[in-house]
Amino acid sequence: MNPHYIKLLHDLNNLLLSEKKPSLYLRGSFGKQLLQVPEISAMLDCPQDPIWHPEGDVWQHTILVVDRAAELKSKLTSATDQSAFMLGAFFHDIGKPLTTVYKDNRWRSPAHDIKGSKICRNLLTDSDFSKEIIDKASSFVLEHLKPINLYKYRDNISDTAIRRLARRVNIEQLIYLAMADHFGRTTPDALAKEFPAGPWLLAKHLHIEKYDNKPKPILKGRHLAKYGVKPGSLMGKLISESLIAQIDGEIQNVNDAKKWAYHRLLELGYIDPGNFSS
């Protein structure tokens, strides 16, 4: 990456961490310099549905979002978390310029969260940010739509879906990011600071954490014993790992569990593929 761009991104990080109203700088000379970065300049003039984003293009929305995020960042305790949070807020819609299309009489940006997460990761990696900041910021970008989407389908959302999300990202921090995204608009509900998805998801998450009724692992010791695994640390490790795979939806029945165990034991070099079949 151009060394000048690297410096600009680190200057951006410092600005987002130190200023209470980053928009004052993003609308000024620093913003003009930052818009030299191609991935960032693409946000300028990238259209959005005026019903949901009457404030204007993606760049205008982003400027409003980082101001709202700056109001919330003190809720995160570590400098690393604050940096990842603020960078996630800045980059949350960076995928829109590559995904925006006009369809059915409105502007849409399908999968901009997925595309944006990759762009965010690439930019921060090329700029030598720490792995922790890169992982967290890109996860925020990837998951930033989840709170409002989960709330939209809340009558059909299982505890398992929320557990999966909690494994990928800090849910409380994600809610703050989604709030900043929602309030960084000029719709009536945003101006009124109405965001029911946040309290709903937080309450669900805290309830699950307090009264966690995790599913029992489908994979049992007797399944592993058929591959020669004896009771002990390895068996316990595999059963714990299988539960994670189960929560993630990789294991849904006994056959899935057996196949998962077989392939995991192959990875570990514990079994010879010529002696066993899944």
Side-chain angles (χ1 to χ4, degrees):
M1 180 187 281
N2 184 320
H4 179 56
Y5 295 168
I6 294 174
K7 183 180 184 304
L8 283 173
L9 289 178
H10 282 276
D11 288 345
L12 170 66
N13 180 55
N14 293 333
L15 169 71
L16 295 175
L17 286 176
S18 62
E19 297 299 328
K20 293 182 179 180
K21 203 171 180 63
S23 63
L24 295 177
Y25 300 85
L26 294 175
R27 294 187 192 279
S29 60
F30 177 72
K32 292 179 181 177
Q33 293 181 60
L34 197 60
L35 287 168
Q36 295 173 21
V37 181
E39 293 87 346
I40 296 174
S41 67
M43 292 194 287
L44 192 64
D45 297 326
C46 179
Q48 302 185 104
D49 186 339
I51 294 176
W52 299 105
H53 289 282
E55 69 279 359
D57 62 26
V58 175
W59 178 245
Q60 297 305 319
H61 169 59
T62 298
I63 289 174
L64 294 178
V65 171
V66 294
D67 273 1
R68 302 293 79 77
E71 297 168 359
L72 296 165
K73 70 173 181 284
S74 63
K75 295 179 181 295
L76 287 71
T77 55
S78 78
T80 295
D81 281 353
Q82 289 187 2
S83 182
F85 175 75
M86 292 304 298
L87 288 168
F90 182 84
F91 288 121
H92 80 285
D93 276 348
I94 194 111
K96 279 189 173 180
L98 294 181
T99 59
T100 297
V101 294
Y102 192 74
K103 184 178 180 180
D104 300 328
N105 297 316
R106 56 171 291 198
W107 292 105
R108 302 171 185 268
S109 306
H112 74 272
D113 47 347
I114 298 171
K115 181 68 72 172
S117 179
K118 293 177 181 177
I119 296 171
C120 174
R121 178 174 290 279
N122 290 340
L123 286 173
L124 296 182
T125 299
D126 291 346
S127 300
D128 296 321
F129 280 83
S130 72
K131 183 179 185 303
E132 188 175 4
I133 289 176
I134 294 167
D135 288 345
K136 288 183 176 182
S138 58
S139 291
F140 281 136
V141 176
L142 181 63
E143 310 290 356
H144 76 274
L145 297 174
K146 289 297 191 303
I148 202 160
N149 285 340
L150 288 172
Y151 181 74
K152 182 178 179 181
Y153 299 103
R154 60 192 178 279
D155 292 338
N156 297 309
I157 295 300
S158 67
D159 289 355
T160 297
I162 295 174
R163 286 194 197 96
R164 289 176 188 166
L165 180 61
R167 287 196 58 246
R168 300 193 300 268
V169 67
N170 182 302
I171 284 185
E172 293 185 46
Q173 294 178 9
L174 179 65
I175 290 170
Y176 295 139
L177 183 69
M179 287 175 62
D181 182 17
H182 187 72
F183 296 151
R185 302 176 303 140
T186 55
T187 56
D189 60 336
L191 294 174
K193 296 294 177 69
E194 297 172 358
F195 186 56
W200 171 83
L201 180 55
L202 182 60
K204 289 284 290 183
H205 170 60
L206 293 178
H207 180 82
I208 292 169
E209 288 286 297
K210 185 175 181 179
Y211 304 104
D212 200 349
N213 53 345
K214 287 181 182 177
K216 294 180 179 179
I218 295 172
L219 183 69
K220 306 295 184 185
R222 64 178 180 272
H223 302 137
L224 294 169
K226 293 183 178 180
Y227 297 116
V229 180
K230 296 179 180 179
S233 60
L234 176 60
M235 182 175 283
K237 170 183 166 66
L238 290 170
I239 290 175
S240 295
E241 288 182 1
S242 76
L243 182 56
I244 293 173
Q246 188 175 320
I247 290 172
D248 285 344
E250 297 175 42
I251 296 175
Q252 299 184 24
N253 52 51
V254 172
N255 285 335
D256 289 345
K258 290 179 179 178
K259 290 178 181 178
W260 179 91
Y262 173 76
H263 290 292
R264 186 72 181 101
L265 288 167
L266 280 178
E267 290 175 357
L268 295 172
Y270 188 85
I271 60 175
D272 183 338
N275 295 333
F276 294 97
S277 65
S278 58

